[in-house]
Amino acid sequence: MTAPRPIAEQLVATQAEGHDHSAGHVNPLAYNSLWHLRADAWSSLADSAHQLTVAPGRGAEKAALTVASTLSVLEPIETFFAFPGRHLQQTAARLMSAGLHDRLAHFVDGISRALDTDEYRTGGPWAIEGSEGEFRDPAGGGAASDSGRPYFEVLVVEDLNADQEAGLQEEFRRLRRPDDQFVYELIVVPTAEDAVIAALVNFNIQACIIRPRFSDRSRRDLSNLGPFASLGLAAAINGESMDERAEQLGCELKKIRPELDMYLMSQTGIEDVAARLSPDFTRIFHHREGFLELHLSLLAGVGHRYRTPFFTALKEYSHRPTGVFHALPISQGKSVVSSHWIQDMIGFYGLDLFLAETSATSGGLDSLLDPTGTLRDAQNLASETFGSHRTFFVTNGTSTGNKIVVQALVQPGDIVLVDRNCHQSHHYGLVMSGAHVSYLEAYPLNEYTMYGAVPLEEIKRQLLAFKRAGKLDRVKMLLLTNCTFDGVVYNVERVMEECLAIKPDLVFLWDEAWFAFARFQPVYRKRTAMASARALLDRLRSPEYHKAYNDQVDQLYHEKPDDETLVGRHLLADPARARIRVYATQSTHKTLTALRQGSMIHVFDEDFNHKVEETFHEAYMSQTSTSPNYQILASLDLGRRQAALEGFELVQRQVENAMRLRTAVEHHPLLRKYVRFLTTPDLIPPRYRHSDIVRPNVAGIGEMSRAWDSDEFVLDPSRITLHIGALGIDGDTFKHSYLMDRYGVQVNKTSRNSVLFMTNIGTTRSSVAYLIEVLVTIVRELEDELCGMSPRERAAHELKVMKLTNPEAPLPDFSAFHPAFRPGLDTGTPEGDIRSAFFLAYDEALCDYLLPSEVEERVASGRSVVSATFVTPYPPGFPILVPGQVFTEKLLTFVNTLDTREIHGFKPDAGYRVFTDKALEMALGDGSPAVAGPEIPSRPTTSNLTPLISRHRRRGAAAS
């Protein structure tokens, strides 16, 4: 078969020849996903093959051209899949060449149906070698023999001819047994480049066997794959021996898919190879000793990830007869089954839910507060899956997880740097811990009434200010949200590296409530807390990093830069002093599969065992119920299994559905008149995008990866912010009155002129199509209304549009804490004692309510007005005032421009709750007048050298 032309050339040639392939033709350039392209191509092939059997004359010609074009598109793609695979694709091509159109139609229809229904995964009959349209069961026993057994594929990397490949396939099939837990098929590729692409595009691959002989670069024409596999092979495989080359390839594959089980088959000296083998490999085998042990290892490796210790124990317990002389009447459904009045509970929830209800906290079910059995095992498996040192399950949401971490690590008086726009649980957790809070400012997006993320220079500037004031030893933690609600993602590794250059023992808490899924996609993964912690630790231990650090020390010692110069420079951490202490809290139930409130805390802390374990246990005990919900715990166990085995597939589909939604709106002639999705340049200013890639999320995975490697901030493509200002409808009204009330479309966040849509691992192509249909319907109705408006109504509508499409009052920065709650006033540092302000407000006699006009009058006259509570408008959903913060004219102007129905901490009939002058004088404690504190200067002016330079001086003194 001749090599296919690149897709772009095919399309140009088709247009030049005048052929119309619009009916059934698959245009690969219209796809963001190889998986969607592949599925649609087989479906189109089935339709076109059927057309060949029924269409006369010109119609048959068109169908024949479409069949030929689609088969050409599929040929390189099927190289990387066991089913249908290149053998079945070539069988279809032979049937087409032989003019056997009826058999071709039957053949490809079966393949398309098996792909659509996933029948091939459940052991349904399908052919391997393709005998002219005859299907054969690869397991040799019919569909029933593999019914219910999960299916996966194994990648084999070795340069084999067709006969050798077929022999290898048959040898592994002969090893199958009826009692095997799983069934699998092999995909054989001859080169390292083919192996990397297969790992990127084939989600069925769960293991890889690297055999002795393979080449570097693919010998196939991969141009048809376009951007789908553009990550490609990072560098040439250049090991001196075949085993070294195999080890390098295994490391490359592990970077892409860390969940893969990696096996090496070597020819000679496997004992020596085993002694130095990378931990990326599960086992090494001698290639002449048969495949039985390898077969069993493949099954065991997947079986390890498939285990659900706690779910299995709970399921077994629920079917045991028990006598309950304990609390919980609903245990095993006893108070429900015999009831005459609440039988509908069983009908709605199902009996198993109640059979699993128990008060038992020992034996096989284990105790969440002190796990020693199945729960401990389940958490250990989660730790493996998410790349942490330790993982803890939380049954009452990430709000509680955040409080546990803060309580475990922060003592009263410790200083914590925190994004002011973080989730409210952090603010309350800091109140409970007694931390002195230093709020960080994110960059504003005034046009959309939202904040971005906190620039690294803002964080470094505050750390250097605390160092200059002699308080760096009290700075304990940096707390940031990754990614933000609107999809802005930090360069986590860079942030931690530069902060550790200034404060080597700083603890990081990354709130990844909406980012748990990111671990399971190769580009996303590098910006997660756990992956970044591991990468930074490995870099700090490398000789190259030690040398680079010492070179920088020498350079800074001679330059003697001031703080502002250090803020703008990429600082390296001292590898001898820096400690990697990283915590991540994740709402598993938000972006992976778990029952509501199921969350996890992931720990990557070098000092956890000897510094934190005891206090963490106490914090966990104080925040966790002694009666945890076992169904939530079991769902976390199951959600971990799903993420470990199919997270890669599900996250890819999530991103692809988001891209389909974005593309559909951008290309719809009516929708794009009124709405548009915000892009990377809209949400991330140019100064934070060093790659200069304007739209990395639509430029292919290679360009996306390049931007995610270099840019300070990137945009999560699965977060899609729709700007609706041109509709003349504010975000809150659009959410409630249109999307939710009329069409049942659920969204979480809105701003003054935008609505945030989020795809997740449960989003389907049908749900994307429904949303597009809803948006089109809404816009059409609006156009109809506009046509019927009177001149006065039209003018009012245009005024709304003008207000919603133009920024009004700028977003306010954090003003300052009042001197009564500002322990750093004498040193010029911005931290505040939020706990004192919070609990001072418990005394009603010390608080009063002021209407907005009264607050404005006092502020205008120079008097101090201090908030006694959190004030949080929805939207935008972040606190604009915290206890102890002073009111400013800028803040009041911003509040006056908000058009929102919900402001927590504000009573329309009474106003803002504020401290009385007497309360502030009492809090000051020295009779000082209750005046507002001065603003903190945004840029420090004095200069102090970082620990980098201090270490250079110590080193020089020691040498002398």
Side-chain angles (χ1 to χ4, degrees):
M1 195 169 179
T2 58
R5 286 178 292 180
I7 291 170
E9 290 182 22
Q10 293 179 38
L11 296 178
V12 172
T14 298
Q15 293 167 0
E17 293 161 11
H19 295 307
D20 178 14
H21 290 183
S22 58
H25 180 74
V26 175
N27 177 7
L29 296 180
Y31 286 81
N32 296 304
S33 160
L34 183 68
W35 300 338
H36 287 166
L37 166 61
R38 180 172 176 254
D40 284 359
W42 278 106
S43 179
S44 170
L45 189 61
D47 291 342
S48 300
H50 178 71
Q51 282 292 106
L52 280 174
T53 65
V54 298
R58 179 68 173 165
E61 281 184 37
K62 290 183 177 180
L65 286 168
T66 302
V67 168
S69 172
T70 307
L71 284 170
S72 179
V73 168
L74 283 169
E75 186 193 29
I77 295 174
E78 290 305 325
T79 300
F80 307 109
F81 296 87
F83 178 85
R86 65 176 181 272
H87 298 305
L88 298 191
Q89 185 273 338
Q90 289 169 357
T91 297
R94 286 197 298 270
L95 292 172
M96 180 64 183
S97 297
L100 301 175
H101 296 163
D102 287 336
R103 297 179 73 177
L104 172 67
H106 171 74
F107 187 75
V108 298
D109 186 62
I111 291 173
S112 179
R113 188 166 53 250
L115 285 172
D116 287 343
T117 63
D118 277 350
E119 179 186 332
Y120 74 96
R121 298 177 68 108
T122 57
W126 48 279
I128 293 297
E129 298 173 2
S131 54
E132 303 300 301
E134 296 294 328
F135 286 100
R136 180 169 61 80
D137 178 11
S145 67
D146 289 322
S147 178
R149 288 199 286 178
Y151 165 87
F152 65 95
E153 294 176 5
V154 177
L155 179 66
V156 179
V157 188
E158 187 174 30
D159 196 352
L160 301 176
N161 62 39
D163 291 338
Q164 290 171 325
E165 181 179 334
L168 185 67
Q169 299 269 13
E170 284 301 323
E171 193 163 355
F172 272 91
R173 286 188 204 113
R174 283 196 296 268
L175 295 171
R176 290 176 174 161
R177 300 170 299 167
D179 58 346
D180 285 345
Q181 189 177 12
F182 312 105
V183 62
Y184 65 87
E185 282 293 334
L186 302 185
I187 307 160
V188 182
V189 297
T191 73
E193 186 170 26
D194 289 327
V196 169
I197 294 174
L200 279 166
V201 303
N202 186 346
F203 49 77
N204 285 329
I205 294 173
Q206 296 291 341
C208 177
I209 303 168
I210 303 180
R211 288 168 55 94
R213 294 182 177 88
F214 60 86
S215 304
D216 257 15
R217 297 296 173 182
S218 178
R219 297 188 291 271
R220 305 179 187 280
D221 180 359
L222 301 178
S223 56
N224 277 354
L225 298 181
F228 306 129
S230 55
L231 274 183
L233 191 61
I237 304 298
N238 56 12
E240 293 183 4
S241 68
M242 288 186 291
D243 291 329
E244 288 177 353
R245 296 179 70 249
E247 191 170 348
Q248 289 177 16
L249 176 58
C251 294
E252 285 292 321
L253 293 172
K254 273 289 198 177
K255 290 176 185 176
I256 298 169
R257 301 274 300 276
E259 76 276 12
L260 294 182
D261 297 318
M262 202 70 57
Y263 301 94
L264 176 63
M265 296 201 76
S266 184
Q267 290 181 312
T268 57
I270 67 169
E271 297 83 4
D272 294 334
V273 175
R276 57 173 176 76
L277 191 63
S278 163
D280 288 332
F281 284 83
T282 306
R283 279 201 64 178
I284 182 173
F285 295 92
H286 196 283
H287 82 294
R288 290 199 186 98
E289 292 181 348
F291 296 110
L292 177 58
E293 194 170 359
L294 176 55
H295 166 74
L296 296 175
S297 296
L298 290 168
L299 297 176
V302 174
H304 176 73
R305 284 179 276 151
Y306 189 78
R307 289 178 58 223
T308 48
F310 186 74
F311 169 73
T312 301
L314 183 62
K315 186 168 61 171
E316 291 174 355
Y317 169 87
S318 69
H319 292 94
R320 288 204 315 254
T322 60
V324 179
F325 295 91
H326 195 351
L328 203 68
I330 204 172
S331 180
Q332 292 216 316
K334 297 235 177 12
S335 65
V336 180
V337 172
S338 59
S339 172
H340 298 291
W341 296 96
I342 56 173
Q343 285 288 311
D344 49 348
M345 281 186 74
I346 292 179
F348 184 73
Y349 290 109
L351 182 60
D352 280 346
L353 178 74
F354 301 103
L355 290 176
E357 280 288 0
T358 175
S359 294
T361 57
S362 60
L365 290 184
D366 213 353
S367 166
L368 179 61
L369 296 178
D370 187 20
T372 58
T374 54
L375 264 174
R376 179 198 60 195
D377 294 344
Q379 292 184 150
N380 287 342
L381 283 169
S383 178
E384 289 180 24
T385 300
F386 287 90
S388 67
H389 288 164
R390 302 277 293 271
T391 289
F392 299 88
F393 289 174
V394 180
T395 58
N396 40 355
T398 302
S399 294
T400 294
N402 291 332
K403 294 171 187 173
I404 289 171
V405 176
V406 170
Q407 182 178 333
L409 290 158
V410 178
Q411 301 180 55
D414 283 348
I415 296 172
V416 176
L417 275 60
V418 56
D419 180 5
R420 180 166 60 97
N421 312 306
C422 65
H423 189 263
Q424 65 178 12
S425 61
H426 293 295
H427 299 283
Y428 287 113
L430 293 167
V431 166
M432 294 166 61
S433 71
H436 288 179
V437 182
S438 181
Y439 283 115
L440 299 164
E441 294 294 344
Y443 65 83
L445 297 164
N446 292 317
E447 186 175 352
Y448 313 114
T449 321
M450 63 178 72
Y451 285 98
V454 179
L456 178 55
E457 61 185 22
E458 162 81 358
I459 303 169
K460 291 166 65 178
R461 193 170 282 122
Q462 281 214 17
L463 285 173
L464 290 169
F466 281 115
K467 176 175 173 53
R468 192 170 58 253
K471 296 182 179 180
L472 195 59
D473 60 311
R474 289 179 48 208
V475 178
K476 189 63 175 283
M477 176 184 286
L478 172 65
L479 196 164
L480 295 171
T481 303
N482 189 51
C483 66
T484 71
F485 227 141
D486 303 290
V488 180
V489 183
Y490 285 87
N491 189 333
V492 176
E493 185 180 345
R494 173 80 178 271
V495 169
M496 295 194 298
E497 176 188 33
E498 295 217 46
C499 289
L500 290 175
I502 301 170
K503 169 73 173 170
D505 60 346
L506 188 65
V507 180
F508 300 89
L509 171 53
W510 294 95
D511 183 338
E512 294 184 338
W514 297 87
F515 213 47
F517 72 91
R519 172 77 185 177
F520 306 100
Q521 202 271 356
V523 177
Y524 276 96
R525 186 183 306 115
K526 65 185 73 175
R527 294 215 172 200
T528 62
M530 293 298 101
S532 297
R534 166 53 63 189
L536 182 56
L537 181 62
D538 290 344
R539 287 178 57 222
L540 288 172
R541 290 174 174 176
S542 70
E544 295 81 7
Y545 195 93
H546 280 252
K547 182 181 184 306
Y549 171 77
N550 288 327
D551 289 345
Q552 185 175 89
V553 168
D554 292 337
Q555 181 182 8
L556 293 177
Y557 178 73
H558 290 99
E559 289 182 6
K560 296 181 173 53
D562 59 17
D563 284 358
E564 259 326 283
T565 302
L566 292 172
V567 165
R569 180 169 295 183
H570 184 159
L571 301 178
L572 303 180
D574 182 348
R577 298 174 62 216
R579 304 295 291 170
I580 306 300
R581 309 191 63 193
V582 185
Y583 294 75
T585 52
Q586 293 180 347
S587 296
T588 314
H589 67 100
K590 282 189 170 78
T591 65
L592 295 173
T593 299
L595 293 177
R596 194 163 183 83
Q597 296 192 37
S599 296
M600 297 187 193
I601 300 171
H602 302 299
V603 180
F604 197 111
D605 185 349
E606 292 185 279
D607 296 338
F608 184 84
N609 291 342
H610 64 280
K611 284 188 177 181
V612 184
E613 189 166 18
E614 292 300 325
T615 58
F616 189 95
H617 178 70
E618 293 301 322
Y620 195 83
M621 294 279 285
S622 72
Q623 298 288 343
T624 303
S625 170
T626 56
S627 302
N629 185 294
Y630 283 108
Q631 283 88 344
I632 294 177
L633 293 172
S635 75
L636 288 170
D637 200 11
L638 285 166
R640 187 276 317 156
R641 176 213 276 178
Q642 182 187 44
L645 290 167
E646 59 180 341
F648 175 64
E649 171 188 358
L650 296 174
V651 175
Q652 279 296 102
R653 294 194 187 281
Q654 167 184 341
V655 174
E656 288 152 6
N657 283 322
M659 299 309 296
R660 279 184 169 270
L661 176 58
R662 186 182 294 275
T663 300
V665 170
E666 288 177 349
H667 290 91
H668 194 285
L670 179 60
L671 289 179
R672 66 188 183 197
K673 285 174 59 179
Y674 295 97
V675 298
R676 68 182 182 91
F677 284 120
L678 301 185
T679 62
T680 297
D682 293 315
L683 296 174
I684 302 175
R687 64 181 299 190
Y688 305 122
R689 294 186 280 110
H690 312 297
S691 68
D692 292 328
I693 301 174
V694 177
R695 300 188 66 184
N697 297 336
V698 298
I701 192 171
E703 289 292 88
M704 178 181 172
S705 180
R706 188 162 72 86
W708 284 54
D709 282 338
S710 63
D711 290 357
E712 180 168 352
F713 301 114
V714 291
L715 190 63
D716 172 10
S718 71
R719 311 291 180 95
I720 317 168
T721 301
L722 185 69
H723 186 263
I724 58 169
L727 293 174
I729 306 170
D730 67 88
D732 193 54
T733 301
F734 193 78
K735 169 185 174 179
H736 289 97
S737 301
Y738 288 84
L739 294 177
M740 297 182 71
D741 293 348
R742 292 171 58 180
Y743 298 103
V745 174
Q746 299 179 18
V747 296
N748 195 309
K749 178 184 179 294
T750 63
S751 75
R752 180 174 60 96
N753 53 17
S754 71
V755 178
L756 176 68
F757 297 101
M758 299 168 54
T759 57
N760 57 55
I761 64 170
T763 304
T764 64
R765 293 177 72 174
S766 296
S767 57
V768 170
Y770 176 64
L771 177 56
I772 295 168
E773 180 185 350
V774 166
L775 293 175
V776 170
T777 301
I778 292 172
V779 172
R780 281 177 178 160
E781 291 176 352
L782 175 67
E783 281 218 322
D784 290 342
E785 290 178 11
L786 289 174
C787 291
M789 283 183 180
S790 67
R792 178 176 295 178
E793 291 170 331
R794 187 64 178 254
H797 173 79
E798 290 174 354
L799 180 61
K800 288 182 182 178
V801 171
M802 184 190 71
K803 288 183 177 180
L804 291 173
T805 53
N806 290 279
E808 295 189 353
L811 291 163
D813 292 335
F814 186 83
S815 54
F817 286 103
H818 185 272
F821 310 110
R822 191 165 151 198
L825 182 62
D826 58 334
T827 57
T829 53
E831 75 272 18
D833 184 357
I834 193 172
R835 177 185 176 92
S836 295
F838 183 86
F839 285 108
L840 183 66
Y842 273 42
D843 188 341
E844 287 292 331
L846 300 179
C847 298
D848 197 2
Y849 283 92
L850 294 179
L851 293 170
S853 59
E854 296 174 305
V855 175
E856 291 175 8
E857 181 181 343
R858 293 194 182 191
V859 170
S861 66
R863 296 180 60 186
S864 173
V865 181
V866 182
S867 179
T869 188
F870 291 98
V871 178
T872 307
Y874 288 87
F878 55 82
I880 56 173
L881 287 163
V882 304
Q885 181 183 352
V886 298
F887 282 79
T888 62
E889 290 184 7
K890 184 177 180 180
L891 189 149
L892 291 168
T893 301
F894 172 75
V895 175
N896 289 338
T897 65
L898 289 176
D899 183 15
T900 179
R901 66 178 89 182
E902 183 180 359
I903 302 181
H904 295 183
F906 174 79
K907 294 184 177 181
D909 57 338
Y912 297 101
R913 191 164 187 255
V914 302
F915 287 114
T916 63
D917 289 344
K918 177 183 176 182
L920 297 176
E921 290 170 2
M922 287 175 53
L924 284 168
D926 58 0
S928 302
V931 295
E935 297 287 341
I936 302 299
S938 60
R939 294 180 179 270
T941 54
T942 59
S943 173
N944 243 357
L945 298 180
T946 66
L948 300 171
I949 301 172
S950 300
R951 181 170 179 264
H952 186 289
R953 287 174 172 168
R954 290 197 306 272
R955 197 173 61 187
S960 63

